[in-house]
Amino acid sequence: MTPTALIFDLDGVITDTAEYHYQAWQRLADEEGLPFDRAANENCRGISRRESLLVVLGGRPATEEQMQTMMARKQGYYEESLDQIGPDDLLPGVAGLLDALDAAGIPYALASASKNARPVCERLGIAGRLAALADGYSVERQKPHPDLFRFAAAGLGVAAANCLVVEDAAAGVEAALAAGMPALALGPADRFGGLLADGRVTRRDDLRDVTLDELAAAAAFDPGWHVVQSGFDPATQHHMETIFTLGNGAFATRGTFEEGYPGESALTLAHGVWDDMPIVFTELVNLPNWLRLTITIDGDDFRLDQGRVLDFQRYTDLRAGVLRRAVLWQAPNGKTVDLHFERFIAYPRRHVAAIRLLVTAVSHPCAVVVRAAIDGHVANQDLLHLNLEEQGKSGDTVWLRARTRHTQRALAVAAALSAETSADNGTERAADLCAGQPALLATADLKPGQTLQLDKLVAITTDRDPPAGHAPATGEAPASWPAPWPK
Ligand code: G6P
Ligand code: MG
């Protein structure tokens, strides 16, 4: 799969301003008598000016005013070296790669945490060739947050999932993965640590002699570890829900969509939680649906049977046990958003599951409302097995208690929601205790390129679990569980 677009980091990828940044920080550190060297500078790679200063300070206290002065001094030293930059300062392989991309009609953007990115690109003579430029002014949250790369993809007008990021910093590779993008990591392997174990990361020393085929391979899924669905086909929906089931041995959930789909078979089953009814067979009980996220884009509910699905990808990363889905969707109201979902059911913490959602406004500003619910209105093919007993809200958590109708097994589901955004006006929060479907809401007004990030953390417990205080320690399975892997 050839990437539709590339997103390049600047410092250390396109040009060696990483060295100038280092020299400027070293000069400041020397003047301030702070212990700092090349090794310490590795931790500044890719992160913002302020975060870098905190690394240089190494825990030494400083007032906001002192920090502002030091950042301005460093910027002054850095600007002195900018004069030396010209078109000859492209790193080896970059000029050839940009020519090849232009010839192949593959657009590319730049995404750098640096506030100097634009003048540097102008000096290098590449500014006019960039389809989009995201810099230190574009978003609030810098790498390793996903926002800058999401901003760049929105600027390109390309589905985020189809962009390949080229990075020299661990924080940048982390940001790419968080944004739902594969990454080509440039530099020595020890710089990237465990990130290289992710099937979406490929490493190279630099861009010398890189080919478009290699970029295509870097953007591709790993057939050994990724179960992939590319493109949405309603006809295969039921089958795909089965394929994308996740579980941890304590409970399992079919791969239905967070927002729901007509005719879906949403199902969560917990080990040993069954109901016995005289009129039918004994069966495992469908537990409250913890996936539910209702996402409204300027009044239109996100759902794949409405609006236009411009791009769809879903895959399970078998190594990490994470299910991801990326959808570029145009609402009936004409507004396009780029959504990225990640879901897992924790293995060591057997009650816990989580969903992360990123919503990025692409074409227009839009008001996004997300309702994260526990849906107790569930049945086993129209047969009700649960009596809903009580629900409520404690702090940032809503919860629902229920009991199976015949076997009288007690169970509870709780959900907490946290929300962060790159929008300047933040998010608004609320709760909605609609009977049987308690929910937490988050609202944000997004401008094009801005992202709302939501984390829904869920816990499911039943009276089959050991009493409080007797729960197995994290990472330890109860003796009665089957071995996780065949011996
Ligand atoms: C890039 C570089 C960092 C630098 C940061 C902020 O991410 O890799 O070394 O600190 O940009 O740059 P600025 O030019 O805004 O100080
Ligand atoms: Mg860099």
Side-chain angles (χ1 to χ4, degrees):
M1 182 182 78
T2 310
T4 312
L6 264 79
I7 303 179
F8 292 100
D9 172 50
L10 175 65
D11 297 323
V13 170
I14 297 286
T15 190
D16 201 10
T17 42
E19 177 63 22
Y20 297 141
H21 280 292
Y22 161 65
Q23 286 169 13
W25 285 124
Q26 186 68 60
R27 188 165 153 195
L28 180 87
D30 291 347
E31 287 167 2
E32 293 291 320
L34 293 161
F36 186 71
D37 55 18
R38 267 182 200 281
N41 182 65
E42 277 298 301
N43 299 320
C44 297
R45 222 171 250 278
I47 61 176
S48 69
R49 196 180 299 176
R50 174 178 288 270
E51 294 291 328
S52 302
L53 175 60
L54 294 175
V55 171
V56 175
L57 285 169
R60 192 178 91 173
T63 64
E64 177 59 28
E65 204 186 333
Q66 286 168 328
M67 286 181 58
Q68 290 294 346
T69 313
M70 285 191 266
M71 285 191 285
R73 264 165 64 202
K74 183 264 174 177
Q75 171 66 7
Y77 303 154
Y78 180 73
E79 275 171 20
E80 285 174 26
S81 38
L82 280 188
D83 294 341
Q84 305 165 33
I85 298 175
D88 291 343
D89 289 308
L90 293 175
L91 280 166
V94 173
L97 173 58
L98 297 188
D99 289 345
L101 291 171
D102 286 344
I106 299 175
Y108 46 90
L110 190 109
S112 164
S114 173
K115 292 183 168 164
N116 295 293
R118 191 173 290 278
V120 170
C121 288
E122 278 160 7
R123 292 186 160 277
L124 291 168
I126 61 163
R129 299 169 75 177
L130 301 170
L133 188 148
D135 65 11
Y137 297 105
S138 301
V139 296
E140 295 286 319
R141 301 190 315 164
Q142 289 299 340
K143 303 168 192 176
H145 292 291
D147 303 16
L148 194 70
F149 290 131
R150 307 274 307 174
F151 184 94
L156 284 161
V158 165
N162 291 331
C163 296
L164 173 69
V165 168
V166 186
E167 257 294 348
D168 72 313
V173 172
E174 227 179 287
L177 295 176
M181 301 174 183
L184 178 62
L186 302 182
D190 58 357
R191 183 186 291 166
F192 302 102
L195 289 167
L196 296 181
D198 193 296
R200 305 240 59 198
V201 181
T202 310
R203 193 201 66 82
R204 240 178 165 268
D205 289 334
D206 52 39
L207 288 173
R208 230 176 287 244
D209 303 324
V210 70
T211 63
L212 295 187
D213 283 347
E214 273 182 80
L215 297 182
F221 289 100
D222 176 345
W225 288 101
H226 295 152
V227 179
V228 182
Q229 178 191 12
S230 290
F232 176 63
D233 176 5
T236 62
Q237 191 47 14
H238 189 79
H239 171 64
M240 289 298 164
E241 287 175 12
T242 309
I243 301 267
F244 289 107
T245 297
L246 291 180
N248 65 359
F251 69 98
T253 299
R254 279 170 60 80
T256 50
F257 294 151
E258 285 79 359
E259 69 280 8
Y261 192 80
E264 70 175 6
S265 302
L267 188 73
T268 292
L269 302 175
H271 190 56
V273 180
W274 46 273
D275 201 25
D276 202 1
M277 304 196 66
I279 46 163
V280 279
F281 40 84
T282 300
E283 62 184 354
L284 289 167
V285 174
N286 189 8
L287 302 188
N289 184 358
W290 59 274
L291 298 177
R292 194 58 81 220
L293 293 176
T294 306
I295 304 157
T296 311
I297 310 297
D298 264 343
D300 284 349
D301 281 353
F302 165 64
R303 35 189 289 181
L304 294 191
D305 61 326
Q306 291 184 7
R308 285 175 65 207
V309 181
L310 304 175
D311 196 77
F312 177 98
Q313 283 180 33
R314 167 159 66 163
Y315 73 100
T316 302
D317 178 340
L318 294 172
R319 197 163 357 200
V322 178
L323 172 61
R324 298 196 174 91
R325 175 167 60 119
V327 187
L328 185 67
W329 183 71
Q330 186 179 39
N333 61 28
K335 305 196 172 180
T336 303
V337 286
D338 194 313
L339 301 112
H340 177 75
F341 298 83
E342 288 190 5
R343 171 195 310 181
F344 69 86
I345 296 182
Y347 180 68
R349 294 183 166 225
R350 63 207 176 98
H351 303 114
V352 176
I355 303 174
R356 170 165 291 176
L357 166 66
L358 305 178
V359 187
T360 306
V362 176
S363 63
H364 300 75
C366 54
V368 181
V369 183
V370 180
R371 186 176 188 282
I374 302 165
D375 185 2
H377 294 155
V378 289
N380 289 47
Q381 283 160 350
D382 291 335
L383 189 66
L384 283 177
H385 280 301
L386 286 179
N387 283 327
L388 303 183
E389 296 195 323
E390 203 187 352
Q391 65 179 48
K393 175 175 181 285
S394 339
D396 254 356
T397 303
V398 287
W399 52 269
L400 175 71
R401 270 200 319 107
R403 196 175 287 274
T404 58
R405 290 169 76 191
H406 296 270
T407 49
Q408 294 290 300
R409 303 240 70 125
L411 57 104
V413 182
L417 187 70
S418 62
E420 283 192 58
T421 169
S422 53
D424 20 32
N425 49 2
T427 58
E428 273 181 45
R429 311 292 304 282
D432 170 5
L433 294 181
C434 164
Q437 292 174 323
L440 294 161
L441 281 84
T443 308
D445 288 321
L446 302 179
K447 295 188 192 117
Q450 290 183 329
T451 297
L452 168 65
Q453 175 179 322
L454 288 169
D455 290 344
K456 181 182 185 185
L457 193 63
V458 176
I460 300 180
T461 59
T462 77
D463 60 4
R464 293 192 75 253
D465 297 321
H470 292 82
T474 300
E476 191 186 309
S480 59
W481 280 19
W485 311 111
K487 291 235 160 63

